[in-house]
Amino acid sequence: MAQLPVKKKRQPPVSLPADPECCVRFPGVVLCLVEKKMGLSRKAFLATLAQRKGFCVEEASSERVTHVVSEGNSGGEVVEWLKRKSSPCMEAVGHGVALLDLSWFTESMSAGRPVEIEPRHRLQVAAHAKELEGQCQVSAYACQRRTPLEHNHQMLTEALEILAEEAHFWGSEGRSLAFSRAASVLKSLPWTVRKIQDLKSLPCIGEHSRRVIQEILEDGVSSEVEKIRQSERYQTMKLFTKIFGVGVKTASRWHQEGLRTLADLQAHHTKLSKEQQAGLLHYEDLSTPVTFSEAEAIGQLVRDVVEQCLPGASVTLTGGFRRGKQSGHDVDLLLTHPVDGQEIGLLGKVIAQMDRQGFLLYHSIHRNTFQSFEDEAQEIRDSTTSMDHFERCFSIFCLGCFPGGIPGSASEARRPNNTEQVSGTTGSWKAVRVDLVVTPCSQFPFALLGWTGSQNFERDLRRFSKHEKKMTLNSHALYDKGKRTFLTAASEEEIFNHLDLEYIPPEERNA
Ligand code: UTP
Ligand code: MN
């Protein structure tokens, strides 16, 4: 009788037993089995075997792994595999985490204990320590680093950014930049700095930053940073520079004059520009972060008005929100039209209509000062500033909230009475800073790249273009000084391409 073929039983998905801790005999040894080449079913079998013998087995995502065991892989392959899994073991390969061949595992199972690691057990770690170093090389240019919003060094970057801010408040831009760069490098690391030696191969971390980092790693806090945080000048400068239209110079002068609070400004009848008056009037709202949904609501509101004024024109949300931030200090919007030249006159119409509808608490239009690419080339040749020449409107929107909480337009009736001091919301509306920028379509990718930020990312894009490529980049154009020609681009990707840079999406530009 012909035998029926036996249907192969499907392997259940691999999952390690729920509580391997119960019989752990070697707490200092945590195994991670690499399924690459080994296969999932063999991995499951070996894991169960090891656990029965009292070994702890965890996945590559665990920070506790000490022994990475694989079968038939080279050291390079295992490193690649760990990298793909974003395994925290990566940083400790060679010191703390061993990459081992299955021979160590089988010998240990036979011995019923972890046998001593001999050179023959090790995958070629030395050979690829170099490779690893190469892979982990961090660029000194933020535009060559991927910097997500979330990172592992919140405490360190916060401290360094306070130092950067304090230096900025004293007008020491060089020092400020140094601290800001050090923070930016830490933000890009996919691993965690735990000891001062970890900084060894990192660029842009000066002596002072290093000292502060060491203090925080050892004591959990930096006395220098805490002193600044508590200082009266720092607190006053923070308060004043948060007023819309007030820069470091003005704030510093006010502090020198003995002014300390917003009430002091009024009591002393301090001379304020129109912009600063509006800033003071709406201080509480404007120093409350704008949420992503508020930014989107404003974007939609502007989109509707723009569509009425110039059908086919578009409105794009840029700045921090395009980088994935959930809150920001303002809303940055780029307006353009697919036909170059059609955008001329658009901003005036849009602002007039929004003002009529009661959306604007303050606005100030700056006309387009862009002359021609030739003039621009003259001007941007050696410039690394972020100033651009687009037609632009600095404004404060009145964003109303309906009882349902859905942001919408504010009606005339709910507009604040500008003659009286308003400090904060009444709950029915909120003042929000909005920057509207108009760009001709041909310059749009440059404007989009320039306005998406972050500031560190932008600064280094320009620095990289100048020093590494002999090109000049700004929010209007890219000029190749060697070829004496402008390079056109229809997208951000093309600009990265012109600069021989790997494309970095907005969410990874949070340098
Ligand atoms: P922002 O100052 O709005 O920064 O400028 P942000 O990243 O959106 O931060 P929050 O969330 O609002 O606090 C956005 C980008 O626009 C550029 C800046 O370089 C920054 O990268 N920018 C700003 C200009 O190019 N020109 C300007 O006049 C202002
Ligand atoms: Mn912004």
Side-chain angles (χ1 to χ4, degrees):
M1 201 170 73
Q3 249 192 320
L4 284 172
V6 180
K7 213 172 176 187
K8 222 179 162 185
K9 227 176 147 188
R10 273 185 67 156
Q11 289 293 336
V14 175
S15 68
L16 301 176
D19 189 13
E21 294 282 346
C22 61
C23 47
V24 170
R25 287 178 54 212
F26 316 107
V29 175
V30 179
L31 308 184
C32 163
L33 296 168
V34 178
E35 67 258 22
K36 187 169 185 253
K37 294 195 180 163
M38 181 185 284
L40 283 175
S41 50
R42 184 159 160 76
K43 170 178 169 170
F45 167 77
L46 294 176
T48 311
L49 176 71
Q51 280 162 350
R52 278 209 203 107
K53 301 242 177 206
F55 287 79
C56 186
V57 184
E58 295 192 2
E59 293 295 347
S61 55
S62 162
E63 284 196 357
R64 307 196 320 134
V65 169
T66 54
H67 295 56
V68 179
V69 175
S70 76
E71 187 173 24
N73 288 289
S74 70
E77 285 171 316
V78 176
V79 167
E80 265 309 303
W81 182 83
L82 289 171
K83 236 172 82 177
R84 261 203 323 278
K85 300 246 161 189
S86 304
S87 169
C89 318
M90 265 294 293
E91 55 177 296
V93 168
H95 37 99
V97 172
L99 300 191
L100 301 168
D101 180 63
L102 195 72
S103 55
W104 174 84
F105 180 90
T106 45
E107 287 168 34
S108 297
M109 293 307 123
S110 306
R113 59 172 173 80
V115 298
E116 196 163 328
I117 299 171
E118 290 174 28
R120 65 191 168 85
H121 294 134
R122 289 189 189 273
L123 297 184
Q124 298 181 359
V125 177
H128 79 197
K130 261 217 172 94
E131 188 186 315
L132 198 68
E133 207 172 279
Q135 284 164 350
C136 297
Q137 202 81 69
V138 178
S139 171
Y141 290 109
C143 55
Q144 287 186 306
R145 304 192 294 256
R146 292 179 183 269
T147 315
L149 211 49
E150 303 291 330
H151 59 84
N152 308 331
H153 301 95
Q154 204 61 42
M155 255 205 347
L156 297 178
T157 57
E158 226 179 86
L160 292 168
E161 281 172 348
I162 286 180
L163 291 168
E165 197 177 26
E166 169 75 348
H168 174 59
F169 286 163
W170 286 106
S172 308
E173 296 315 320
R175 268 162 48 81
S176 175
L177 195 57
F179 289 126
S180 178
R181 283 215 172 108
S184 175
V185 164
L186 294 180
K187 288 180 190 175
S188 75
L189 302 179
W191 48 277
T192 309
V193 170
R194 294 217 165 84
K195 46 193 187 318
I196 200 71
Q197 293 90 316
D198 293 345
L199 301 176
K200 207 169 56 196
S201 61
L202 300 180
C204 311
I205 311 229
E207 224 6 83
H208 197 152
S209 295
R210 189 176 300 268
R211 255 195 341 262
V212 172
I213 293 171
Q214 181 159 20
E215 214 184 331
I216 296 174
L217 290 177
E218 288 171 3
D219 308 336
V221 65
S222 150
S223 51
E224 184 185 0
V225 173
E226 288 319 299
K227 223 165 101 188
I228 293 170
R229 242 198 258 266
Q230 307 301 329
S231 88
E232 188 196 49
R233 185 173 189 275
Y234 174 77
Q235 289 177 5
T236 309
M237 288 296 286
K238 252 196 116 74
L239 180 81
F240 288 161
T241 52
K242 267 203 274 178
I243 304 173
F244 176 46
V246 176
V248 166
K249 273 196 189 138
T250 306
S252 177
R253 196 180 67 238
W254 288 346
H255 180 265
Q256 255 180 347
E257 289 168 5
L259 305 175
R260 296 290 180 269
T261 64
L262 300 184
D264 285 352
L265 295 176
Q266 283 170 325
H268 289 76
H269 304 290
T270 309
K271 225 179 124 215
L272 300 172
S273 68
K274 281 250 161 3
E275 199 180 22
Q276 293 163 348
Q277 283 171 28
L280 197 57
L281 190 66
H282 303 295
Y283 187 85
E284 198 180 316
D285 273 6
L286 299 186
S287 52
T288 307
V290 185
T291 65
F292 183 73
S293 53
E294 286 168 345
E296 275 200 320
I298 287 175
Q300 194 50 49
L301 205 137
V302 173
R303 211 164 277 129
D304 292 344
V305 176
V306 162
E307 184 60 27
Q308 285 168 29
C309 296
L310 181 66
S314 68
V315 176
T316 308
L317 183 59
T318 62
F321 291 113
R322 185 164 180 255
R323 302 196 307 274
K325 278 177 69 174
Q326 288 304 304
S327 67
H329 91 285
D330 68 353
V331 181
D332 306 294
L333 296 171
L334 271 185
L335 278 54
T336 192
H337 185 278
V339 181
D340 254 15
Q342 288 291 301
E343 79 289 346
I344 295 169
L346 173 63
L347 192 60
K349 284 186 206 159
V350 170
I351 291 296
Q353 173 149 348
M354 286 194 302
D355 202 22
R356 269 198 307 276
Q357 295 181 352
F359 291 140
L360 298 178
L361 298 167
Y362 169 88
H363 71 271
S364 140
I365 297 188
H366 297 248
R367 62 180 188 83
N368 183 352
T369 53
F370 184 84
Q371 303 281 322
S372 67
F373 277 124
E374 283 63 39
D375 292 344
E376 190 67 13
Q378 280 285 329
E379 191 186 315
I380 69 178
R381 184 169 298 147
D382 295 310
S383 142
T384 47
T385 73
S386 66
M387 274 312 289
D388 57 51
H389 302 269
F390 293 118
E391 188 181 18
R392 171 177 178 179
C393 182
F394 298 99
S395 64
I396 300 176
F397 269 49
C398 184
L399 182 66
C401 285
F402 292 118
I406 304 152
S409 67
S411 71
E412 277 294 329
R414 278 182 290 135
R415 281 190 72 174
N417 178 352
N418 280 348
T419 57
E420 67 184 53
Q421 176 66 38
V422 182
S423 58
T425 60
T426 58
S428 60
W429 58 274
K430 181 182 178 185
V432 178
R433 282 261 300 105
V434 181
D435 270 359
L436 300 175
V437 180
V438 180
T439 159
C441 182
S442 56
Q443 296 174 25
F444 179 78
F446 298 98
L448 184 62
L449 181 59
W451 275 82
T452 297
S454 69
Q455 266 189 45
N456 279 326
F457 192 90
E458 298 302 327
R459 192 187 298 111
D460 279 6
L461 259 179
R462 293 190 295 271
R463 203 161 60 91
F464 178 87
S465 307
K466 182 177 171 185
H467 296 293
E468 307 297 327
K469 292 288 152 193
K470 307 283 174 266
M471 293 185 193
T472 313
L473 173 72
N474 68 8
S475 292
H476 296 275
L478 177 62
Y479 183 72
D480 186 328
K481 287 190 270 191
K483 292 187 185 144
R484 296 180 173 213
T485 168
F486 283 93
L487 303 173
T488 60
S491 64
E492 284 182 321
E493 281 89 339
E494 284 186 30
I495 305 172
F496 280 86
N497 239 332
H498 284 314
L499 294 167
D500 293 323
L501 282 172
E502 203 176 304
Y503 176 70
I504 301 205
E507 316 79 67
E508 291 183 310
R509 296 182 203 159
N510 290 292

